[in-house]
Amino acid sequence: MKSVDEHVAGILDAIVPLPPRPLPLRSAHGCVLAAGLHAASALPGFDNSAMDGYAVHAADVVGASPDRPVTLPVTGDIPAAAGTPSPVARGTAARIMTGAPLPPGADTVVQLEWTDGRMDRVTVTRAPVPGQHIRRAGEDVAAGDLVLPAGRLLGAAQLGLLAALNVATPVVHPRPRAAVLSTGSELVEVGEPLGPGQIVDSNSHAVAAAAREAGADVRRLAGVPDSPAAFAAVFADILAGADVVITTGGVSVGAFDVVKQVLAGPGKVRFESVAMRPGMPQGFGVIDGVPVFTLPGNPVSALVSFELFVRPALLRLRGLASVRRPTLVVTTAHELRSPRGRRSYLRARLAASDAGRPPVAHVLGLQGAHQLSALAVADALLIVPEDSADVPAGTELTALYLGGDLPEFGGPQFGGPERGDPERGDPAVVDPVRTRARA
Ligand code: AMP
Ligand code: MG
């Protein structure tokens, strides 16, 4: 049997970032910059006021105080859209708004609060530091600066900077177009009535969502029947417009395992057993240049397989350098059993521990490959290595954190509330792993 790491390595070897192209900012959101971006112009583009107030010559207001105020005639009024303002002569002031260009001659801005705010003549009651409240051209970014390196993910701040620099179409790796295709003649689309023996197709929704969360644009095709002709036709159709294809179901040893029947063969998908649980039957291949993942049908197997194999591939297609989800060290709350020779990914909830101690992983009770309910409340996938069959309570293990951006459970260092808190409406932590279902 192939190890998880070998399978991941083989997949990543076959995948390169999608060719870069210019995209408008809205579409570039969440994409990765393909080349380092140098500023074509400076930021700020011109000297401007950092305050609402009066542009003055500092020398004219030396020593101003409430007892010895200085009064200057106001000769101009400069709003933010002022164009090129008229000069300020010695002994005069111009009212100026935040962001407005500094008028020639003035070297200092006195904020409104230090004045009486009048428009005909202004009385200044505090002496400014010469040069205060002026944002100098280029003090944020100088023309030619490398402002964003290649490989940078474009989020809110990066898009803001690009816009400020008047870059309308940064060159990025586009989002991968992922086609998600579920197979199974027993499947019914969500919301439709179920006949005897039928089940709702959950995989196509779950995997489509996982692919979107991994940054893909998703096309979902649900419930392709277990007929080789039907599957082959749908597959050929979706392959053309996809950067990656993800199927679920039909890859084990059943009589109607259509995905395997149609896609097995040289130059197509290689079907093999990966030493993991859940999710042992896996398939991967590159067909017409498109990576194709055939995930097992059991819903937890499908999502865990996605997490381990497809997500890193999507991140690489997007041009991200780091394709691994963050892991953390946890201690087990209770004794665990795991099949020797296979790496287990147990659905677990994490609870804060004492200061400086790793979070505690409570493995959820329903660990069957079909039991989505535990995955739906899990914070993490607890990794039990291949060589550990019996794991005592208190063992340190690695976990893949699924919960979000910042761990909330990490105790004082993160300061978050403890999981399993009834006040939060969390379901109680349940028994250690017992169920053993097939992958
Ligand atoms: P298979 O590998 O196709 O035999 O599927 C394994 C198990 O997963 C069976 O119990 C299927 O009914 C179930 N299954 C397969 N595809 C889906 C799906 N799209 N949604 C929910 N369950 C599925
Ligand atoms: Mg099936």
Side-chain angles (χ1 to χ4, degrees):
M1 239 189 304
K2 203 177 184 185
S3 75
V4 170
D5 296 334
E6 286 166 343
H7 196 55
V8 174
I11 289 166
L12 290 179
D13 269 354
I15 290 187
V16 293
L18 292 173
R21 58 180 143 100
L23 285 181
L25 292 185
R26 175 66 187 85
S27 307
H29 186 198
C31 294
V32 170
L33 209 54
L37 191 114
H38 293 267
S41 54
L43 275 183
F46 49 90
D47 291 354
N48 69 89
S49 177
M51 288 286 221
D52 295 331
Y54 293 83
V56 299
H57 293 256
D60 290 338
V61 285
V62 171
S65 71
D67 296 334
R68 302 180 59 188
V70 174
T71 298
L72 302 171
V74 178
T75 54
D77 191 16
I78 312 168
T84 306
S86 313
V88 171
R90 276 301 303 265
T92 70
R95 193 171 75 152
I96 190 166
M97 297 296 122
T98 303
L102 191 73
D107 59 15
T108 298
V109 171
V110 182
Q111 63 263 51
L112 196 68
E113 295 82 351
W114 291 9
T115 72
D116 62 359
R118 288 180 61 145
M119 276 305 295
D120 50 346
R121 54 190 169 74
V122 63
T123 298
V124 176
T125 51
R126 277 181 74 173
V129 177
Q132 78 175 22
H133 302 320
I134 295 171
R135 305 158 169 170
R136 294 289 171 196
E139 70 176 22
D140 185 5
V141 173
D145 275 0
L146 175 68
V147 285
L148 293 170
R152 183 76 208 198
L153 183 63
L154 300 183
Q158 295 74 31
L159 289 182
L161 179 60
L162 290 170
L165 288 167
N166 211 4
V167 177
T169 53
V171 178
V172 297
H173 300 285
R175 288 176 182 275
R177 296 163 302 164
V180 173
L181 195 166
S182 62
T183 69
S185 294
E186 73 279 29
L187 301 177
V188 170
E189 177 61 4
V190 67
E192 298 296 320
L194 292 174
Q198 293 186 320
I199 62 168
V200 178
D201 167 28
S202 61
N203 282 346
S204 71
H205 290 283
V207 171
R212 281 193 296 270
E213 286 174 13
D217 282 334
V218 176
R219 177 176 174 205
R220 186 183 70 92
L221 288 109
V224 180
D226 292 320
S227 130
F231 175 76
V234 173
F235 185 84
D237 178 49
I238 61 168
L239 192 65
D243 298 312
V244 55
V245 176
I246 310 157
T247 70
T248 70
V251 294
S252 48
V253 292
F256 303 100
D257 282 329
V258 66
V259 174
K260 205 169 183 174
Q261 287 168 27
V262 173
L263 295 184
K268 296 204 274 183
V269 170
R270 191 164 154 179
F271 291 91
E272 50 203 334
S273 293
V274 175
M276 61 189 281
R277 196 184 70 174
M280 188 165 65
Q282 295 292 334
F284 173 72
V286 179
I287 304 180
D288 296 348
V290 179
V292 176
F293 295 84
T294 64
L295 307 183
N298 272 308
V300 180
S301 305
L303 277 180
V304 170
S305 307
F306 180 95
E307 170 63 33
L308 299 180
F309 308 125
V310 187
R311 186 174 180 277
L314 289 174
L315 268 48
R316 174 148 299 172
L317 285 169
R318 290 170 59 201
L320 286 161
S322 170
V323 299
R324 316 258 167 195
R325 200 185 275 277
T327 59
L328 50 126
V329 174
V330 298
T331 56
T332 54
H334 29 239
E335 192 188 341
L336 301 171
R337 275 162 290 131
S338 174
R340 189 176 288 284
R342 288 166 73 180
R343 191 182 296 178
S344 287
Y345 292 87
L346 302 176
R347 280 67 79 199
R349 291 182 68 83
L350 303 177
S353 187
D354 300 335
R357 298 274 307 139
V360 176
H362 296 264
V363 170
L364 295 158
L366 303 175
Q367 294 286 326
H370 60 295
Q371 289 170 319
L372 261 183
S373 63
L375 183 57
V377 296
D379 300 314
L381 294 174
L382 178 67
I383 303 172
V384 186
E386 293 81 342
D387 57 1
S388 312
D390 294 297
V391 180
T395 304
E396 284 199 351
L397 292 178
T398 301
L400 290 173
Y401 178 64
L402 305 175
D405 291 338
L406 271 185
E408 287 179 27
F409 47 79
Q413 70 269 40
F414 294 111
E418 190 164 327
R419 292 287 166 112
D421 178 352
E423 303 251 296
R424 285 177 31 138
D426 283 348
V429 165
V430 291
D431 291 334
V433 56
R434 298 206 196 289
T435 327
R436 292 202 173 172
R438 86 177 172 103

